[in-house]
């Protein structure tokens, strides 16, 4: 615990990262139109990392009562409270109102980590998916593995398939699973490097639940691109992302069994990559229907800020000072 405190103190006093103005200018034009006045407050959070907050997801496979107690003493509280439709007691995540990052634990072969640092909003897709013991689950775009770890805090799937197409990210995913999941359970997890667009054909109607945490224009990281050429290229390629996201969703629907549920998520504010993609799927796939998740947003309104005016099967978390979670878009569908 003393080491924990020392490491936390080391993270204080860090220098503000430099903003990439090519990306910021692009976002200004788009989000002023899509978000209106709301964009100003969101931009103030996104461009000022020193006000960002980090959540601590406890690992039930390596429990530490001492750490949990000390987090409470330091002013942390559970991120998820209230009348949520789905909240397993085994999913424990702590947050605090003040900004700052806790130290990440280093990977040590043969030793499980006690907690995972993440943006608290990234757990909302996991809560929306509502995985139950014995269900067959696919995490289609699983790296770096935080949502896979969170899913396993909630339930014990029958089969759990974690897929990541990118070679480097796939190695990262494997290390995350090795760091958090014990051997007996790890042996039940399949990790693959398949093209997510093809999984629907390869694994037709094989899963009860599918998570599509899609590749997207990550607003937080893109704003701090250090290479101007790379940033410019990203912005050009941004237009193609919605096509990829649509193809991944169509593949995920094929992989679902009738009656199964799918959750789609991104960490961007972009309408083209969020509601537009879901609307296109709903109009082009007659075998899926939207599932209402607005109750989840109501239950979490004390801890998260949501964009108003979204449809009942979707939500968008907006970063706000003191509640600097997101961006995180979540939508839920069911296969008929």
């Amino acid at each position: 615990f003393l080491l924990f405190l020392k490491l936390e103190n080391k993270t204080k006093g860090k220098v503000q990262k430099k903003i990439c103005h090519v990306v910021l200018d692009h976002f200004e034009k788009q989000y002023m139109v899509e978000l209106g006045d709301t964009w100003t407050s969101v931009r103030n959070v996104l461009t000022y990392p020193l006000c960002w907050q980090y959540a601590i997801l406890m690992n039930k496979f390596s429990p530490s009562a001492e750490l949990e107690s000390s987090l409470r003493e330091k002013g942390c509280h559970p991120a998820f409270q209230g009348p949520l439709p789905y909240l397993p007691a085994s999913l424990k995540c702590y947050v605090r109102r003040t900004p700052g990052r806790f130290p990440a634990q280093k990977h040590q072969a043969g030793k499980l980590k006690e907690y995972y640092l993440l943006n608290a909003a990234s757990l909302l897709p996991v809560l929306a998916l509502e995985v139950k013991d014995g269900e067959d689950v696919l995490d289609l775009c699983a790296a770096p593995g935080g949502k896979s770890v969170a899913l396993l805090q909630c339930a014990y799937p029958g089969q759990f398939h974690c897929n990541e197409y990118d070679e480097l990210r796939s190695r990262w995913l494997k290390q995350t699973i090795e760091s958090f999941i014990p051997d007996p359970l790890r042996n039940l997890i399949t990790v693959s490097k398949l093209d997510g667009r093809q999984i629907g054909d390869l694994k037709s109607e094989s899963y009860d639940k599918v998570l599509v945490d899609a590749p997207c224009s990550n607003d937080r990281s893109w704003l701090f691109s250090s290479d101007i050429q790379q940033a410019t290229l990203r912005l050009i390629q941004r237009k193609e992302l919605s096509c990829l996201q649509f193809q991944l969703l169509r593949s995920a629907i094929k992989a679902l069994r009738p009656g199964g549920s799918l959750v789609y998520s991104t960490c961007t504010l972009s309408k083209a990559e969020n509601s537009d993609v879901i609307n296109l799927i709903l109009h082009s796939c007659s075998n899926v229907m939207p599932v209402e998740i607005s109750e989840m947003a109501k239950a979490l309104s004390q801890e998260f800020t949501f964009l108003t005016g979204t449809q009942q099967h979707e939500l968008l978390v907006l970063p706000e000072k003191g509640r600097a979670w997101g961006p995180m878009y979540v939508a839920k569908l069911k296969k008929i």
Side-chain angles (χ1 to χ4, degrees):
F1 173 56
L2 288 174
L3 177 63
F4 176 83
L5 279 177
K6 285 177 187 173
L7 285 168
E8 189 196 0
N9 288 334
K10 274 188 183 179
T11 65
K12 292 176 181 173
K14 286 198 171 178
V15 180
Q16 166 81 36
K17 294 187 279 188
K18 285 188 179 177
I19 295 165
C20 178
H21 286 279
V22 171
V23 175
L24 181 58
D25 290 347
H26 179 90
F27 283 2
E28 290 275 19
K29 291 188 183 83
Q30 180 180 350
Y31 294 147
M32 275 300 290
V33 173
E34 292 181 9
L35 298 174
D37 294 340
T38 307
W39 165 240
T40 305
S41 60
V42 170
R43 180 190 60 207
N44 290 343
V45 173
L46 291 181
T47 56
Y48 189 59
L50 295 180
C51 79
W52 293 2
Q53 294 156 271
Y54 295 84
I56 300 171
L57 174 66
M58 306 300 290
N59 184 13
K60 73 176 183 182
F61 303 112
S62 180
S64 172
E66 185 188 7
L67 175 59
E68 209 168 333
S69 173
S70 68
L71 287 173
R72 288 180 182 274
E73 286 171 16
K74 289 162 69 65
C76 295
H77 60 273
F80 306 109
Q81 302 176 75
L84 273 163
Y86 173 85
L87 182 61
S90 52
L91 182 74
K92 293 182 179 180
C93 177
Y94 286 93
V95 295
R96 64 178 179 182
R97 292 276 181 221
T98 50
R101 181 177 183 133
F102 290 88
Q105 292 178 312
K106 287 184 179 176
H107 172 73
Q108 292 178 290
K111 187 177 180 183
L112 295 181
K113 294 184 181 182
E114 295 173 340
Y115 60 90
Y116 188 98
L117 295 181
L118 75 176
N119 185 317
S122 65
L123 292 176
L124 299 195
V126 173
L127 292 174
L129 197 58
E130 299 188 33
V131 173
K132 296 176 178 65
D133 289 348
E135 290 183 325
D136 296 328
V137 181
L138 168 64
D139 190 349
L140 190 69
C141 314
K147 291 181 181 67
S148 295
V149 167
L151 283 165
L152 289 167
Q153 304 300 311
C154 296
Y156 293 92
Q159 62 164 317
F160 190 31
H161 183 177
C162 299
N163 182 70
E164 178 53 54
Y165 184 52
D166 182 85
E167 174 69 37
L168 186 65
R169 287 173 62 82
S170 182
R171 289 205 296 271
W172 190 1
L173 169 64
K174 284 178 182 175
Q175 189 179 88
T176 300
I177 290 170
E178 189 183 324
S179 291
F180 287 90
I181 310 303
D183 274 334
L185 185 55
R186 207 185 308 159
N187 294 335
L188 302 175
I189 301 170
T190 302
V191 179
S192 65
K193 292 185 286 187
L194 300 167
D195 185 334
R197 294 169 292 186
Q198 297 170 2
I199 281 183
D201 292 322
L202 296 169
K203 294 279 195 177
S204 177
E205 297 191 354
S206 297
Y207 305 99
D208 302 298
K209 302 280 169 72
V210 178
L211 175 63
V212 184
D213 186 42
C216 66
S217 50
N218 185 321
D219 293 354
R220 282 194 187 228
S221 64
W222 281 27
L223 272 169
F224 299 94
S225 304
S226 54
D227 185 326
I228 299 294
Q229 284 183 314
Q230 183 197 46
T232 306
L233 183 62
R234 275 176 169 174
L235 292 173
I236 293 167
Q237 293 173 336
R238 192 181 200 205
K239 296 170 188 172
E240 300 165 15
L241 278 168
S242 57
C243 180
L244 169 63
Q245 290 155 348
F246 175 80
Q247 291 170 331
L248 288 170
L249 267 174
R250 206 163 50 178
S251 175
I253 291 163
K254 285 183 183 178
L256 260 184
R257 294 178 181 132
S261 299
L262 176 154
V263 167
Y264 173 76
S265 61
T266 73
C267 52
T268 180
L269 298 161
S270 175
K271 183 174 173 286
E273 298 175 53
N274 294 339
S275 54
D276 286 358
V277 174
I278 291 296
N279 288 338
L280 186 57
I281 280 288
L282 288 170
H283 285 121
S284 59
C285 299
S286 58
N287 62 340
V288 289
M289 60 180 285
V291 178
E292 186 177 332
I293 55 172
S294 55
E295 285 301 313
M296 189 167 82
K298 283 179 195 169
L300 296 173
S301 60
Q302 291 299 309
E303 198 63 55
F304 299 87
T305 301
F306 296 96
L307 179 68
T308 56
T310 55
Q311 297 180 82
Q312 293 195 320
H313 60 271
E314 62 180 355
L315 55 86
L316 178 62
V317 180
L318 301 174
E320 186 180 82
K321 281 187 179 173
R323 302 196 285 189
W325 314 116
M328 180 60 57
Y329 175 81
V330 184
K332 186 169 184 177
L333 307 174
K334 182 177 180 178
K335 187 169 182 177
I336 303 164

